[in-house]
């Protein structure tokens, strides 16, 4: 189990490349949520991508250079809040692996310890209490595999939804199963990926939940794209936007 | 349906064929759901689960760290116990050793318990060439052999078939069989037909689950009793195993055994657990007169030489990784085109067959981590896959030994693209011009981007990036103050 620090005054936001390009509003919403907690949020302009695409495709050297460049941007000892469990897992776990045997390892590990996924930070560090100001509704949530298995944040995301009095969380069949994204996997093995995402969308829609939320845009690109292709109206949103909206911050 | 093994090179077409077979998919999904449930109830207490996994991992790591000396000790102690120990570098040597033993005894038939290593060396096929018939006695293997097929799972070889399909197989190949979907009747049919074979066979062959170095004992885990028959009834018993199966102490066995059965089938203990320490001694009424142990390398030392990839050899072949794999669940075992399918197959096959043949295999994973989460010896399978992908793309590091098929997946185009990505990601100005222009020019994005759009619409870029929105927000805030 991870030991969490006391609540700081200032945090860095790591937007992730997918939020940057596909759902920048979620980034702003996350900032608002953190500011509501009395935190100063610093967004480093020079941040790009955590390097996961190169890493998972076997381009370790390239991934390492990206990792190095990203870590160099966050030199104050503040927590780095990541808007995706998958990128969070990359920065919290795999950066260490990239620097095994490297003289910089100790420093890298210090950085890794400062990396938190948004929901785990809100729950375990901010000890947030949400006040639900929305109408009665139901949601279903998809958690990315890295978020679940590397960061254990399905627990914290579920807890946040549980704090919303008028939101019923529906549970889909095979909840913990991968949606079939896996970065380049989806295009390298399109048929297997298709079988996986088709099962995922079916299980999600079978819950008849009004909304789909996820704290990971990789999975959302995959799931939303499949839903739209099927002509299904369900479209997932980033959890940060949903939480902000429910608490009247938007 | 018989599945020709066309090798892991053809995983794409083999997977497609499997995905297009609704019955096969239903069979796998149903069976995997069942096995997942079984495992879940066997590890009801998560604290206990993590203790067992940590202990099992520690045992396997300790044993592997001393592998060469433990193998020597095993050889010495088994020999002292009256076994004949053989070392085989590869499939050819292993088959030659077994063929020689068979020829010394003028053997015509070998009755076999379940052994994946015997699949690895294609024993049945090789012996058939010499006029020696191998008969599978494990129920699943028996069914698969009747079909002229290969196992689709390392623990449950015929898991790809449902009851009806098993009945169909029996009907096609066995005389006087009345079709039935009653499982007990089906099993009884197999048992009855096999019974006589144990008595008639010249040689019994089995695998090994744990080979204990300190005592020279071979442990065999099974549920059907066929393993015991194979190892006690025929005059000659040959046990064959990979070199990684050695453990140091007898006391290493109980925790590993428990981890194995609970992970594999959710059983607290199997129906049979055999500990074989010698051939028949004088005055004993049964047991083989001759006992041979064949230790097979076949690429395992390649994994052993690298500290990280050595973890692959921790495997105790429980099958839990495949039972929990979303890819395996959908495409089944045959589509991989390897003897060992599923996640463990993806990480061990590159050592057995080389990366050239298996480079598509190591990419066939979303790296979801479901395998690593259940592996009783805590092999970080996704990390192994990432590592193998790296080896497939790049030449070895300066101080490292090349592995077979090293860099066989290197592609100039992709490598340039990744170098470009890394360059952009480390040069923020360039990167942001890229994502800025991507969002600005989003109307020009093709709405078909290759395989992505075969079941999805293409992703829609936002009209502004987060970087731009934040700039605007900060400007506003600055203006207000
Ligand atoms: S890799 Fe782990 S889970 Fe898979 S078969 Fe081996 S021991 Fe079992």
């Amino acid at each position: 189990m991870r030991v969490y620090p006391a609540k700081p005054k200032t945090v860095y936001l790591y937007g992730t490349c997918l939020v940057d390009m596909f759902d920048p509003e979620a980034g702003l919403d996350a900032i608002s949520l953190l500011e509501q907690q009395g935190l100063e949020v610093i967004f480093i302009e020079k941040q790009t991508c955590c390097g996961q695409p190169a890493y998972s495709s076997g381009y370790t050297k390239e991934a390492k250079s990206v990792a190095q460049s990203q870590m160099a941007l966050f030199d104050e000892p503040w927590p780095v809040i990541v808007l995706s469990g998958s990128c969070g897992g990359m920065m919290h776990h795999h950066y260490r692996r990239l620097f095994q045997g490297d003289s910089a390892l100790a420093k890298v590990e210090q950085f890794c310890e400062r990396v938190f996924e948004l929901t785990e930070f809100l729950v375990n560090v901010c000890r947030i209490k949400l006040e639900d100001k929305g109408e009665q509704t139901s949601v279903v949530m998809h958690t990315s595999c890295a978020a679940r298995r590397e960061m254990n944040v399905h627990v914290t995301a579920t807890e946040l939804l549980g704090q919303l009095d008028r939101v019923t969380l529906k549970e889909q069949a095979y909840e913990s199963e991968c949606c079939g994204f896996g970065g380049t996997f989806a295009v390298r093995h399109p048929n297997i990926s298709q079988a996986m995402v088709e099962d995922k969308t079916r299980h999600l829609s079978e819950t008849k939940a009004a909304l789909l939320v996820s704290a990971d845009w990789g999975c959302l690109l995959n799931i939303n794209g499949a839903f739209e292709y099927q002509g299904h109206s369900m479209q997932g949103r980033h959890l940060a936007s949903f939480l902000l909206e429910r608490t009247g911050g938007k | 349906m018989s599945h020709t093994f066309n090798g892991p090179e053809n995983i794409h077409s083999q997977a497609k064929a499997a995905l297009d077979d609704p019955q096969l998919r239903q069979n796998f999904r149903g069976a995997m759901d069942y096995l997942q449930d079984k495992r879940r109830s066997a590890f009801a207490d998560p604290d206990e689960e993590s203790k067992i996994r940590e202990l099992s991992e520690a045992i396997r790591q300790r044993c592997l760290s001393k592998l060469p000396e433990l193998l020597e000790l095993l050889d010495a102690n088994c020999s002292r116990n009256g076994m004949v120990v053989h070392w085989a570098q590869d499939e050819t040597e292993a088959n030659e050793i077994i063929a020689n033993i068979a020829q010394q005894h003028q053997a015509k038939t070998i009755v076999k318990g379940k052994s994946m290593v015997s699949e690895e060396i294609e024993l049945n096929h090789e012996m058939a060439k010499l006029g020696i018939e191998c008969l599978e006695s494990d129920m699943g293997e028996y069914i698969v052999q009747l079909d002229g097929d290969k196992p689709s799972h390392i623990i449950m070889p015929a898991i790809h078939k449902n009851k009806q399909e098993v009945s169909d197989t029996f009907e096609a190949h066995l005389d006087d069989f009345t079709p039935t979907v009653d499982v007990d009747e089906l099993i009884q049919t197999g048992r009855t037909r096999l019974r006589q074979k144990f008595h008639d066979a010249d040689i019994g062959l089995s695998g090994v689950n744990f080979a204990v170095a300190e005592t020279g004992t071979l442990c065999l885990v099974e549920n059907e009793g066929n393993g015991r028959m194979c190892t006690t009834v025929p005059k000659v018993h040959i046990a064959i195993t990979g070199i990684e199966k050695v453990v140091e102490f007898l006391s290493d066995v109980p925790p590993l055994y428990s981890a194995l059965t609970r992970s594999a089938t959710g059983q607290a203990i199997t129906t049979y657990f055999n500990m074989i320490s010698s051939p028949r001694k004088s005055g004993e009424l049964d047991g083989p007169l001759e006992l041979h142990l064949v230790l097979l390398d076949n690429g395992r030392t390649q994994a052993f030489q690298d500290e990280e990839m050595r973890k692959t050899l921790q495997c105790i072949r429980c099958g839990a990784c495949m039972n929990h794999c979303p890819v395996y669940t959908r495409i089944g075992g045959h589509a991989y085109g390897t003897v060992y399918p599923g996640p463990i197959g993806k990480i061990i096959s590159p050592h057995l067959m080389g990366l050239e043949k298996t480079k598509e295999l190591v990419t066939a994973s979303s790296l979801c981590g479901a395998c690593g989460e259940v592996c009783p010896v805590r092999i970080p399978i996704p990390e192994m896959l990432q590592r193998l992908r790296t080896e497939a793309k790049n030449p070895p590091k300066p101080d490292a030994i090349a592995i077979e098929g090293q860099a066989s997946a290197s592609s100039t185009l992709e490598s340039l693209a990744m170098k470009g990505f890394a360059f952009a990601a480390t040069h923020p100005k360039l990167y942001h011009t890229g994502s800025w222009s991507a969002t600005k020019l989003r109307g020009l994005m093709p709405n078909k981007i290759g395989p992505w759009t075969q079941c999805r619409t293409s992703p829609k870029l936002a009209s502004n990036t987060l970087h731009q929105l934040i700039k605007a927000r900060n400007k506003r805030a600055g203006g207000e103050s």
Side-chain angles (χ1 to χ4, degrees), chain A residues 69-130:
Chain A
S69 76
Q70 297 306 292
M71 286 187 289
L73 300 173
F74 302 92
D75 45 6
E76 296 294 338
W78 305 324
V80 180
I81 313 304
V82 186
L83 294 191
S84 142
S86 173
C87 312
M90 177 72 193
M91 299 167 82
H92 180 61
H93 286 289
H94 299 291
Y95 277 15
R96 287 175 227 260
R97 189 165 166 258
L98 283 173
F99 288 83
Q100 280 311 315
D102 192 299
S103 57
L105 182 63
K107 252 192 105 190
V108 170
E109 283 186 327
Q110 281 172 12
F111 174 83
C112 294
E113 283 312 313
R114 283 197 281 136
V115 172
F116 301 90
E117 186 267 355
L118 176 69
T119 67
E120 80 169 323
F121 189 79
L122 289 174
V123 170
N124 293 325
V125 180
C126 300
R127 301 180 191 279
I128 193 170
K129 289 285 163 268
L130 299 169

Side-chain angles (χ1 to χ4, degrees), chain B residues 281-296:
Chain B
K281 292 184 188 132
S282 66
E284 287 181 346
L285 294 178
D286 56 11
L289 299 170
E290 236 181 83
L291 175 48
H292 297 264
L293 171 65
V294 183
L295 296 167
L296 176 69

